[in-house]
Structure formats: C-alpha cells, structure tokens
Amino acid sequence: MQALVIGAGPAGLMAAEVLAGGGARVVVAEAMPTPARKFLMAGKSGLNLTRDEPWPVFAAHYGGSAPGLRPPPEYLENGEMGPEAVMGWARGLGVDLFTGSTGRVFPVGMKASPLLRAWLARLSGLGVEFRMRCRWRGFDGDGWRFEVPGGVEMLHPRAVVLALGGASWPRLGSDAAWVPWLAGRGVEVAPFRPANMGFRVHWSVPMARHFGQAVKGVALHAGDAVSRGEWVVTAQGIEGGGVYEVSAAMRDGAEALLDLAPDLAAGELARRFAAAPAKLSVGNRLRRVLGDPLRAALLMEWGQPLPADPARLAARAKALRLRHEGPMDIERAISSAGGIAGAGLTEALELRALPGVFAAGEMLDWEAPTGGYLLTGCLATGRLAGRGAAAYLAAAR
C-alpha cells in the first residue's frame, strides 16, 4: 500500500480518485458498513451538488482558517474544484444536471445514489481497495491502528489522507473521535461548534397549529447575511435551508431580523394595514395584509405588543426580531465549524506536525452553508489533499 485514505465520504473519495488516477495504490478505510452514508442521507431530499452563480457571490459563503477555503478561497477560484469543475466532474460520471431558479445545481434524477454508484465503479476501475468496518483507533508507534471485524490491524502507509468528518451526525460516522489522537501528536484543533443548524424556540401554545409548516416569501437578516430561502417551524424551534444560510452569523451573536414582506416597501405595507377593514380581528387583519396565516402568526408571536399605528406596524413587520434560545445541539447540525486549524496546515493541506499526512473535508477549520457550498468545499479539499499526497509520494520516489 502506498496511500491510505481514512474516511469514505465525498472528501475521502475525491482524494482517493486523485491518488489512484496518478498511479498510486490506494486503500480506503471506512468505519461504517457502506461508504458515504452522510452524503446519501443529504441527498434524500435532492442532491444539491453546487451553486451556479457569479464567483464573488459564491466565494463570500466560505469562512474559517483552512488553506484553500479561507476568504478568498483561491483554490476554488482557479478552477481546480469550483462550481464549473464540480459540474464537469459529475457529467463525467454520466450524471445529467439541471440548474434551478436559485442557481442550485442538481442531478436530473435528484438522488445521490446513482452518482455514488458511478463514482465507486470508477474508483474500483482505478484499483482502489475499500475496507469497510475498518475503524481507525489512533497510533501505535509509527503505525496506524485499526479495529476490524477480526480484531486489530496495523497499517504502515507511505502517505495518508484523513477525511474523518467533523462532529455532526455522529450516528453516520462523524464523531470527532480523532481529536485526542491528533492533538497528542501536536496538531492544533479548533473547538467544534454546530453549523447549518436550527435554533431552539419556546413557542406559545397557539403556535402549535403551525408545527411542520414552511415559512415562505420572507427575508431573514443576520449581520451581513441575508436569506430568502424557506424554513420550517417545528415543535423545537426553526430549521431548514433558509435558516442555515444565516445560522453562522446567528450562532456568533448577530441579531436575526425577519422581513415578512420583503417585496413591499414599508410605506406600501403601512397603506395596506391602514386600508384593512377595522371590523376585522387583529389576526384576520394581519392575515389579509400579509397574505399568509403563518407569517401573521409569526408577527403575533414575536411582535407583541403590536403597534396600532399602521406605519409602526409595518416597520415591525419589516424588521421583526426573531427570538430564539440559541442553536440546536451539534449532534443535530448538518455540519460543524472548527477542526484542524489552518496554522497547522500547509497550502497542500499537509499536517505540519505529521509529514506525509494530509486532511480534507469537515475535519478542517472551515464552514459554508448548505445549498451546494458545503459539498463543493468537501470535494475541493479532498482533491487538494489528494494532490498533495500524490506529490509527497512522487517526491519520496
């Protein structure tokens, strides 16, 4: 074995593809019974591969200290694995794509499984060996110790790519068990925090009738971030893509303001409130003007006491403070922020404390929202780490 990739998610599979494509003998070790479980789970509601939008807009969604993804993410921009490259790579696997009205790019069939099957077939054709139920358990001298169905196995690869995920969705394999082993070898790891997560809300009793309903046609502002996406009211709080897009700013303390009528100027909204029949109840008046019972309910929930003056009521509806009790636990988050700090990585994503060991994906200290950004970043760092490991092997030869 020349190269070992630990973790069979998108980042690990991309690193394996790069290494095997360059002629390396590659083993992929995966703790779970099947590869890419989180990838498949994320694709159940439609696999959003990337985002087709102007580069400055796309790049602004990345944060953190990891090389290649810190703003501006030069590695994505130079075409190695940016949106255009992701689309070309998927088409190369025989997957037809379409772009939605918001710029999100999906497979025509929407599902992740056909793409994954084609990808695994390509990797097998390149000679990549998969070892499932092969869980890394740390170091033993200069060897890598694995728990396997038959007991314990020691591996001694020439180069390693770590793609073990962050700390979200531990039941699918991303449990951050690797942190003490790397920290013990001098690798700095920034604390993990939830990313792309919902927020807890203690609703009043009348809101129970709206649990499970989608909030549409609103704008959510938090700091410099703005989202027009849909999100869902649940018994625990609020979740969904529209919240995830601004969740990092909310988590870090920015006040969240909800515009319930983003396509109407405040003056026009005030005029409509003034024109609503006075005989209507407050709730019916709000529903008539806002055009949606759920938006009216949110104004009733978070806007009390409601101003009687139409202009002040319109101002409140245009900048409604979203009252929450903090982010949901990291175990429920789509992804995580934090991870291996950028200061401990080379530009090729090699660990400075462990020459010949590279890292990719959500192990690294970076974050991006869902909607194509997160997956593109995982693929990009996987390719970058794979290229780094390939160059390391070539130099050793």
Side-chain angles (χ1 to χ4, degrees), residues 303-336:
Q304 300 290 351
L306 292 174
D309 176 67
R312 291 178 59 207
L313 183 59
R316 184 155 302 177
K318 296 286 290 179
L320 181 64
R321 182 186 172 205
L322 193 159
R323 299 175 184 171
H324 64 86
E325 284 73 48
M328 293 184 180
D329 295 340
I330 196 168
E331 291 80 6
R332 293 188 56 178
I334 301 298
S335 61
S336 55

PDB file of all heavy atoms in Angstrom, residues 303-336:
ATOM      1  N   GLY A 303     -43.992  39.919  17.726  1.00  0.00           N
ATOM      2  CA  GLY A 303     -44.142  41.367  17.580  1.00  0.00           C
ATOM      3  C   GLY A 303     -44.917  42.062  18.679  1.00  0.00           C
ATOM      4  O   GLY A 303     -45.154  43.272  18.606  1.00  0.00           O
ATOM      5  N   GLN A 304     -45.303  41.329  19.709  1.00  0.00           N
ATOM      6  CA  GLN A 304     -46.114  41.908  20.782  1.00  0.00           C
ATOM      7  C   GLN A 304     -45.286  42.863  21.664  1.00  0.00           C
ATOM      8  O   GLN A 304     -44.099  42.611  21.890  1.00  0.00           O
ATOM      9  CB  GLN A 304     -46.705  40.800  21.651  1.00  0.00           C
ATOM     10  CG  GLN A 304     -47.609  39.838  20.902  1.00  0.00           C
ATOM     11  CD  GLN A 304     -48.927  40.469  20.474  1.00  0.00           C
ATOM     12  OE1 GLN A 304     -49.256  41.587  20.873  1.00  0.00           O
ATOM     13  NE2 GLN A 304     -49.692  39.737  19.667  1.00  0.00           N
ATOM     14  N   PRO A 305     -45.898  43.932  22.149  1.00  0.00           N
ATOM     15  CA  PRO A 305     -47.257  44.390  21.826  1.00  0.00           C
ATOM     16  C   PRO A 305     -47.286  45.023  20.439  1.00  0.00           C
ATOM     17  O   PRO A 305     -46.398  45.810  20.083  1.00  0.00           O
ATOM     18  CB  PRO A 305     -47.550  45.417  22.924  1.00  0.00           C
ATOM     19  CG  PRO A 305     -46.199  45.953  23.281  1.00  0.00           C
ATOM     20  CD  PRO A 305     -45.240  44.817  23.150  1.00  0.00           C
ATOM     21  N   LEU A 306     -48.305  44.666  19.668  1.00  0.00           N
ATOM     22  CA  LEU A 306     -48.394  45.162  18.300  1.00  0.00           C
ATOM     23  C   LEU A 306     -48.805  46.632  18.289  1.00  0.00           C
ATOM     24  O   LEU A 306     -49.777  47.019  18.953  1.00  0.00           O
ATOM     25  CB  LEU A 306     -49.418  44.355  17.502  1.00  0.00           C
ATOM     26  CG  LEU A 306     -49.045  42.894  17.211  1.00  0.00           C
ATOM     27  CD1 LEU A 306     -50.214  42.188  16.537  1.00  0.00           C
ATOM     28  CD2 LEU A 306     -47.804  42.825  16.333  1.00  0.00           C
ATOM     29  N   PRO A 307     -48.103  47.484  17.539  1.00  0.00           N
ATOM     30  CA  PRO A 307     -48.484  48.897  17.456  1.00  0.00           C
ATOM     31  C   PRO A 307     -49.824  49.061  16.737  1.00  0.00           C
ATOM     32  O   PRO A 307     -50.146  48.317  15.809  1.00  0.00           O
ATOM     33  CB  PRO A 307     -47.357  49.526  16.634  1.00  0.00           C
ATOM     34  CG  PRO A 307     -46.243  48.528  16.644  1.00  0.00           C
ATOM     35  CD  PRO A 307     -46.879  47.195  16.778  1.00  0.00           C
ATOM     36  N   ALA A 308     -50.602  50.015  17.171  1.00  0.00           N
ATOM     37  CA  ALA A 308     -51.870  50.306  16.489  1.00  0.00           C
ATOM     38  C   ALA A 308     -51.651  51.151  15.245  1.00  0.00           C
ATOM     39  O   ALA A 308     -52.405  51.042  14.274  1.00  0.00           O
ATOM     40  CB  ALA A 308     -52.822  51.021  17.449  1.00  0.00           C
ATOM     41  N   ASP A 309     -50.633  51.979  15.253  1.00  0.00           N
ATOM     42  CA  ASP A 309     -50.343  52.854  14.123  1.00  0.00           C
ATOM     43  C   ASP A 309     -49.862  52.032  12.925  1.00  0.00           C
ATOM     44  O   ASP A 309     -48.927  51.235  13.039  1.00  0.00           O
ATOM     45  CB  ASP A 309     -49.263  53.864  14.515  1.00  0.00           C
ATOM     46  CG  ASP A 309     -48.853  54.726  13.353  1.00  0.00           C
ATOM     47  OD1 ASP A 309     -49.683  55.525  12.893  1.00  0.00           O
ATOM     48  OD2 ASP A 309     -47.700  54.581  12.882  1.00  0.00           O
ATOM     49  N   PRO A 310     -50.493  52.172  11.739  1.00  0.00           N
ATOM     50  CA  PRO A 310     -50.112  51.364  10.570  1.00  0.00           C
ATOM     51  C   PRO A 310     -48.646  51.493  10.191  1.00  0.00           C
ATOM     52  O   PRO A 310     -48.016  50.501   9.803  1.00  0.00           O
ATOM     53  CB  PRO A 310     -51.036  51.887   9.467  1.00  0.00           C
ATOM     54  CG  PRO A 310     -52.220  52.434  10.192  1.00  0.00           C
ATOM     55  CD  PRO A 310     -51.671  53.008  11.458  1.00  0.00           C
ATOM     56  N   ALA A 311     -48.078  52.692  10.267  1.00  0.00           N
ATOM     57  CA  ALA A 311     -46.679  52.870   9.890  1.00  0.00           C
ATOM     58  C   ALA A 311     -45.748  52.115  10.838  1.00  0.00           C
ATOM     59  O   ALA A 311     -44.781  51.465  10.412  1.00  0.00           O
ATOM     60  CB  ALA A 311     -46.328  54.358   9.871  1.00  0.00           C
ATOM     61  N   ARG A 312     -46.043  52.190  12.131  1.00  0.00           N
ATOM     62  CA  ARG A 312     -45.209  51.478  13.103  1.00  0.00           C
ATOM     63  C   ARG A 312     -45.399  49.962  12.991  1.00  0.00           C
ATOM     64  O   ARG A 312     -44.458  49.186  13.157  1.00  0.00           O
ATOM     65  CB  ARG A 312     -45.537  51.955  14.516  1.00  0.00           C
ATOM     66  CG  ARG A 312     -45.104  53.396  14.791  1.00  0.00           C
ATOM     67  CD  ARG A 312     -45.495  53.824  16.197  1.00  0.00           C
ATOM     68  NE  ARG A 312     -44.878  52.933  17.193  1.00  0.00           N
ATOM     69  CZ  ARG A 312     -45.387  52.698  18.381  1.00  0.00           C
ATOM     70  NH1 ARG A 312     -46.561  53.255  18.731  1.00  0.00           N
ATOM     71  NH2 ARG A 312     -44.763  51.909  19.237  1.00  0.00           N
ATOM     72  N   LEU A 313     -46.625  49.527  12.688  1.00  0.00           N
ATOM     73  CA  LEU A 313     -46.883  48.104  12.497  1.00  0.00           C
ATOM     74  C   LEU A 313     -46.126  47.588  11.273  1.00  0.00           C
ATOM     75  O   LEU A 313     -45.541  46.504  11.303  1.00  0.00           O
ATOM     76  CB  LEU A 313     -48.380  47.859  12.345  1.00  0.00           C
ATOM     77  CG  LEU A 313     -48.827  46.396  12.196  1.00  0.00           C
ATOM     78  CD1 LEU A 313     -48.394  45.575  13.415  1.00  0.00           C
ATOM     79  CD2 LEU A 313     -50.329  46.322  12.003  1.00  0.00           C
ATOM     80  N   ALA A 314     -46.118  48.371  10.211  1.00  0.00           N
ATOM     81  CA  ALA A 314     -45.380  47.981   9.006  1.00  0.00           C
ATOM     82  C   ALA A 314     -43.888  47.904   9.292  1.00  0.00           C
ATOM     83  O   ALA A 314     -43.192  46.978   8.844  1.00  0.00           O
ATOM     84  CB  ALA A 314     -45.657  48.978   7.882  1.00  0.00           C
ATOM     85  N   ALA A 315     -43.379  48.866  10.056  1.00  0.00           N
ATOM     86  CA  ALA A 315     -41.960  48.849  10.400  1.00  0.00           C
ATOM     87  C   ALA A 315     -41.609  47.604  11.197  1.00  0.00           C
ATOM     88  O   ALA A 315     -40.548  47.000  10.990  1.00  0.00           O
ATOM     89  CB  ALA A 315     -41.603  50.109  11.179  1.00  0.00           C
ATOM     90  N   ARG A 316     -42.487  47.192  12.089  1.00  0.00           N
ATOM     91  CA  ARG A 316     -42.223  45.993  12.873  1.00  0.00           C
ATOM     92  C   ARG A 316     -42.253  44.748  11.990  1.00  0.00           C
ATOM     93  O   ARG A 316     -41.433  43.847  12.146  1.00  0.00           O
ATOM     94  CB  ARG A 316     -43.226  45.873  14.004  1.00  0.00           C
ATOM     95  CG  ARG A 316     -42.952  44.677  14.933  1.00  0.00           C
ATOM     96  CD  ARG A 316     -43.507  44.898  16.311  1.00  0.00           C
ATOM     97  NE  ARG A 316     -42.951  46.105  16.927  1.00  0.00           N
ATOM     98  CZ  ARG A 316     -43.316  46.567  18.115  1.00  0.00           C
ATOM     99  NH1 ARG A 316     -44.241  45.917  18.819  1.00  0.00           N
ATOM    100  NH2 ARG A 316     -42.783  47.660  18.610  1.00  0.00           N
ATOM    101  N   ALA A 317     -43.201  44.686  11.066  1.00  0.00           N
ATOM    102  CA  ALA A 317     -43.295  43.538  10.165  1.00  0.00           C
ATOM    103  C   ALA A 317     -42.101  43.458   9.218  1.00  0.00           C
ATOM    104  O   ALA A 317     -41.749  42.368   8.747  1.00  0.00           O
ATOM    105  CB  ALA A 317     -44.596  43.604   9.362  1.00  0.00           C
ATOM    106  N   LYS A 318     -41.477  44.598   8.955  1.00  0.00           N
ATOM    107  CA  LYS A 318     -40.318  44.629   8.057  1.00  0.00           C
ATOM    108  C   LYS A 318     -39.003  44.347   8.792  1.00  0.00           C
ATOM    109  O   LYS A 318     -37.980  44.086   8.152  1.00  0.00           O
ATOM    110  CB  LYS A 318     -40.219  45.999   7.377  1.00  0.00           C
ATOM    111  CG  LYS A 318     -41.368  46.336   6.459  1.00  0.00           C
ATOM    112  CD  LYS A 318     -41.296  45.565   5.150  1.00  0.00           C
ATOM    113  CE  LYS A 318     -40.147  46.053   4.287  1.00  0.00           C
ATOM    114  NZ  LYS A 318     -40.069  45.271   3.025  1.00  0.00           N
ATOM    115  N   ALA A 319     -39.010  44.408  10.113  1.00  0.00           N
ATOM    116  CA  ALA A 319     -37.793  44.152  10.897  1.00  0.00           C
ATOM    117  C   ALA A 319     -38.199  43.498  12.213  1.00  0.00           C
ATOM    118  O   ALA A 319     -37.991  44.039  13.292  1.00  0.00           O
ATOM    119  CB  ALA A 319     -37.025  45.441  11.133  1.00  0.00           C
ATOM    120  N   LEU A 320     -38.774  42.308  12.094  1.00  0.00           N
ATOM    121  CA  LEU A 320     -39.286  41.579  13.252  1.00  0.00           C
ATOM    122  C   LEU A 320     -38.155  40.816  13.915  1.00  0.00           C
ATOM    123  O   LEU A 320     -37.489  39.984  13.274  1.00  0.00           O
ATOM    124  CB  LEU A 320     -40.386  40.614  12.808  1.00  0.00           C
ATOM    125  CG  LEU A 320     -41.063  39.777  13.897  1.00  0.00           C
ATOM    126  CD1 LEU A 320     -41.814  40.670  14.879  1.00  0.00           C
ATOM    127  CD2 LEU A 320     -42.005  38.761  13.256  1.00  0.00           C
ATOM    128  N   ARG A 321     -37.924  41.078  15.173  1.00  0.00           N
ATOM    129  CA  ARG A 321     -36.846  40.395  15.885  1.00  0.00           C
ATOM    130  C   ARG A 321     -37.195  38.926  16.085  1.00  0.00           C
ATOM    131  O   ARG A 321     -38.231  38.592  16.653  1.00  0.00           O
ATOM    132  CB  ARG A 321     -36.614  41.062  17.240  1.00  0.00           C
ATOM    133  CG  ARG A 321     -35.460  40.435  18.013  1.00  0.00           C
ATOM    134  CD  ARG A 321     -35.356  41.024  19.399  1.00  0.00           C
ATOM    135  NE  ARG A 321     -34.383  40.300  20.208  1.00  0.00           N
ATOM    136  CZ  ARG A 321     -34.393  40.252  21.523  1.00  0.00           C
ATOM    137  NH1 ARG A 321     -35.336  40.884  22.195  1.00  0.00           N
ATOM    138  NH2 ARG A 321     -33.469  39.584  22.179  1.00  0.00           N
ATOM    139  N   LEU A 322     -36.313  38.040  15.592  1.00  0.00           N
ATOM    140  CA  LEU A 322     -36.513  36.602  15.732  1.00  0.00           C
ATOM    141  C   LEU A 322     -35.981  36.191  17.106  1.00  0.00           C
ATOM    142  O   LEU A 322     -34.781  36.253  17.365  1.00  0.00           O
ATOM    143  CB  LEU A 322     -35.774  35.861  14.613  1.00  0.00           C
ATOM    144  CG  LEU A 322     -36.090  34.387  14.394  1.00  0.00           C
ATOM    145  CD1 LEU A 322     -35.692  33.959  12.992  1.00  0.00           C
ATOM    146  CD2 LEU A 322     -35.420  33.499  15.422  1.00  0.00           C
ATOM    147  N   ARG A 323     -36.875  35.777  17.972  1.00  0.00           N
ATOM    148  CA  ARG A 323     -36.492  35.449  19.347  1.00  0.00           C
ATOM    149  C   ARG A 323     -36.211  33.948  19.463  1.00  0.00           C
ATOM    150  O   ARG A 323     -37.094  33.129  19.222  1.00  0.00           O
ATOM    151  CB  ARG A 323     -37.597  35.855  20.305  1.00  0.00           C
ATOM    152  CG  ARG A 323     -37.897  37.359  20.279  1.00  0.00           C
ATOM    153  CD  ARG A 323     -39.084  37.712  21.154  1.00  0.00           C
ATOM    154  NE  ARG A 323     -39.413  39.130  21.057  1.00  0.00           N
ATOM    155  CZ  ARG A 323     -40.501  39.681  21.576  1.00  0.00           C
ATOM    156  NH1 ARG A 323     -41.367  38.919  22.236  1.00  0.00           N
ATOM    157  NH2 ARG A 323     -40.740  40.969  21.444  1.00  0.00           N
ATOM    158  N   HIS A 324     -34.987  33.622  19.816  1.00  0.00           N
ATOM    159  CA  HIS A 324     -34.611  32.219  19.940  1.00  0.00           C
ATOM    160  C   HIS A 324     -33.766  32.020  21.182  1.00  0.00           C
ATOM    161  O   HIS A 324     -33.304  32.979  21.806  1.00  0.00           O
ATOM    162  CB  HIS A 324     -33.860  31.753  18.688  1.00  0.00           C
ATOM    163  CG  HIS A 324     -32.547  32.451  18.469  1.00  0.00           C
ATOM    164  ND1 HIS A 324     -31.375  32.022  19.046  1.00  0.00           N
ATOM    165  CD2 HIS A 324     -32.218  33.555  17.737  1.00  0.00           C
ATOM    166  CE1 HIS A 324     -30.387  32.813  18.686  1.00  0.00           C
ATOM    167  NE2 HIS A 324     -30.861  33.760  17.901  1.00  0.00           N
ATOM    168  N   GLU A 325     -33.548  30.755  21.537  1.00  0.00           N
ATOM    169  CA  GLU A 325     -32.795  30.389  22.734  1.00  0.00           C
ATOM    170  C   GLU A 325     -31.471  29.733  22.387  1.00  0.00           C
ATOM    171  O   GLU A 325     -30.935  28.944  23.165  1.00  0.00           O
ATOM    172  CB  GLU A 325     -33.617  29.454  23.632  1.00  0.00           C
ATOM    173  CG  GLU A 325     -34.717  30.169  24.415  1.00  0.00           C
ATOM    174  CD  GLU A 325     -35.876  30.576  23.521  1.00  0.00           C
ATOM    175  OE1 GLU A 325     -36.337  29.725  22.740  1.00  0.00           O
ATOM    176  OE2 GLU A 325     -36.297  31.741  23.594  1.00  0.00           O
ATOM    177  N   GLY A 326     -30.927  30.031  21.219  1.00  0.00           N
ATOM    178  CA  GLY A 326     -29.619  29.512  20.843  1.00  0.00           C
ATOM    179  C   GLY A 326     -29.701  28.358  19.865  1.00  0.00           C
ATOM    180  O   GLY A 326     -30.770  27.812  19.588  1.00  0.00           O
ATOM    181  N   PRO A 327     -28.544  27.980  19.319  1.00  0.00           N
ATOM    182  CA  PRO A 327     -28.523  26.908  18.311  1.00  0.00           C
ATOM    183  C   PRO A 327     -28.836  25.551  18.908  1.00  0.00           C
ATOM    184  O   PRO A 327     -28.595  25.294  20.091  1.00  0.00           O
ATOM    185  CB  PRO A 327     -27.077  26.956  17.789  1.00  0.00           C
ATOM    186  CG  PRO A 327     -26.287  27.585  18.885  1.00  0.00           C
ATOM    187  CD  PRO A 327     -27.208  28.545  19.560  1.00  0.00           C
ATOM    188  N   MET A 328     -29.365  24.682  18.069  1.00  0.00           N
ATOM    189  CA  MET A 328     -29.597  23.300  18.479  1.00  0.00           C
ATOM    190  C   MET A 328     -28.259  22.582  18.613  1.00  0.00           C
ATOM    191  O   MET A 328     -27.237  23.030  18.106  1.00  0.00           O
ATOM    192  CB  MET A 328     -30.518  22.605  17.475  1.00  0.00           C
ATOM    193  CG  MET A 328     -31.924  23.185  17.486  1.00  0.00           C
ATOM    194  SD  MET A 328     -33.033  22.290  16.386  1.00  0.00           S
ATOM    195  CE  MET A 328     -34.566  23.220  16.641  1.00  0.00           C
ATOM    196  N   ASP A 329     -28.268  21.443  19.284  1.00  0.00           N
ATOM    197  CA  ASP A 329     -27.042  20.716  19.589  1.00  0.00           C
ATOM    198  C   ASP A 329     -26.314  20.298  18.320  1.00  0.00           C
ATOM    199  O   ASP A 329     -26.930  20.059  17.263  1.00  0.00           O
ATOM    200  CB  ASP A 329     -27.350  19.484  20.428  1.00  0.00           C
ATOM    201  CG  ASP A 329     -27.897  19.844  21.806  1.00  0.00           C
ATOM    202  OD1 ASP A 329     -27.671  20.990  22.236  1.00  0.00           O
ATOM    203  OD2 ASP A 329     -28.546  18.987  22.428  1.00  0.00           O
ATOM    204  N   ILE A 330     -25.004  20.157  18.438  1.00  0.00           N
ATOM    205  CA  ILE A 330     -24.176  19.821  17.279  1.00  0.00           C
ATOM    206  C   ILE A 330     -24.547  18.459  16.695  1.00  0.00           C
ATOM    207  O   ILE A 330     -24.393  18.228  15.494  1.00  0.00           O
ATOM    208  CB  ILE A 330     -22.680  19.883  17.662  1.00  0.00           C
ATOM    209  CG1 ILE A 330     -21.814  19.934  16.399  1.00  0.00           C
ATOM    210  CG2 ILE A 330     -22.296  18.725  18.574  1.00  0.00           C
ATOM    211  CD1 ILE A 330     -20.375  20.283  16.677  1.00  0.00           C
ATOM    212  N   GLU A 331     -25.071  17.544  17.513  1.00  0.00           N
ATOM    213  CA  GLU A 331     -25.456  16.227  17.007  1.00  0.00           C
ATOM    214  C   GLU A 331     -26.570  16.312  15.974  1.00  0.00           C
ATOM    215  O   GLU A 331     -26.728  15.421  15.145  1.00  0.00           O
ATOM    216  CB  GLU A 331     -25.899  15.316  18.157  1.00  0.00           C
ATOM    217  CG  GLU A 331     -24.780  14.899  19.102  1.00  0.00           C
ATOM    218  CD  GLU A 331     -24.443  15.971  20.123  1.00  0.00           C
ATOM    219  OE1 GLU A 331     -25.164  16.998  20.172  1.00  0.00           O
ATOM    220  OE2 GLU A 331     -23.471  15.785  20.885  1.00  0.00           O
ATOM    221  N   ARG A 332     -27.355  17.412  16.029  1.00  0.00           N
ATOM    222  CA  ARG A 332     -28.449  17.591  15.074  1.00  0.00           C
ATOM    223  C   ARG A 332     -28.062  18.507  13.921  1.00  0.00           C
ATOM    224  O   ARG A 332     -28.856  18.702  12.995  1.00  0.00           O
ATOM    225  CB  ARG A 332     -29.671  18.177  15.780  1.00  0.00           C
ATOM    226  CG  ARG A 332     -30.314  17.248  16.778  1.00  0.00           C
ATOM    227  CD  ARG A 332     -31.617  17.824  17.294  1.00  0.00           C
ATOM    228  NE  ARG A 332     -32.561  18.133  16.226  1.00  0.00           N
ATOM    229  CZ  ARG A 332     -33.784  18.606  16.419  1.00  0.00           C
ATOM    230  NH1 ARG A 332     -34.205  18.800  17.657  1.00  0.00           N
ATOM    231  NH2 ARG A 332     -34.584  18.864  15.412  1.00  0.00           N
ATOM    232  N   ALA A 333     -26.868  19.079  13.975  1.00  0.00           N
ATOM    233  CA  ALA A 333     -26.455  20.023  12.947  1.00  0.00           C
ATOM    234  C   ALA A 333     -26.100  19.291  11.653  1.00  0.00           C
ATOM    235  O   ALA A 333     -25.644  18.147  11.668  1.00  0.00           O
ATOM    236  CB  ALA A 333     -25.257  20.832  13.424  1.00  0.00           C
ATOM    237  N   ILE A 334     -26.317  19.968  10.529  1.00  0.00           N
ATOM    238  CA  ILE A 334     -25.944  19.391   9.243  1.00  0.00           C
ATOM    239  C   ILE A 334     -24.431  19.261   9.137  1.00  0.00           C
ATOM    240  O   ILE A 334     -23.897  18.313   8.575  1.00  0.00           O
ATOM    241  CB  ILE A 334     -26.491  20.251   8.092  1.00  0.00           C
ATOM    242  CG1 ILE A 334     -28.017  20.365   8.178  1.00  0.00           C
ATOM    243  CG2 ILE A 334     -26.067  19.691   6.739  1.00  0.00           C
ATOM    244  CD1 ILE A 334     -28.745  19.056   8.065  1.00  0.00           C
ATOM    245  N   SER A 335     -23.699  20.232   9.665  1.00  0.00           N
ATOM    246  CA  SER A 335     -22.239  20.217   9.602  1.00  0.00           C
ATOM    247  C   SER A 335     -21.703  20.878  10.860  1.00  0.00           C
ATOM    248  O   SER A 335     -22.456  21.242  11.763  1.00  0.00           O
ATOM    249  CB  SER A 335     -21.747  20.938   8.341  1.00  0.00           C
ATOM    250  OG  SER A 335     -22.167  22.296   8.340  1.00  0.00           O
ATOM    251  N   SER A 336     -20.377  21.037  10.913  1.00  0.00           N
ATOM    252  CA  SER A 336     -19.761  21.651  12.080  1.00  0.00           C
ATOM    253  C   SER A 336     -18.704  22.649  11.648  1.00  0.00           C
ATOM    254  O   SER A 336     -18.088  22.511  10.592  1.00  0.00           O
ATOM    255  CB  SER A 336     -19.139  20.581  12.986  1.00  0.00           C
ATOM    256  OG  SER A 336     -18.235  19.768  12.278  1.00  0.00           O
TER     257      SER A 336
END
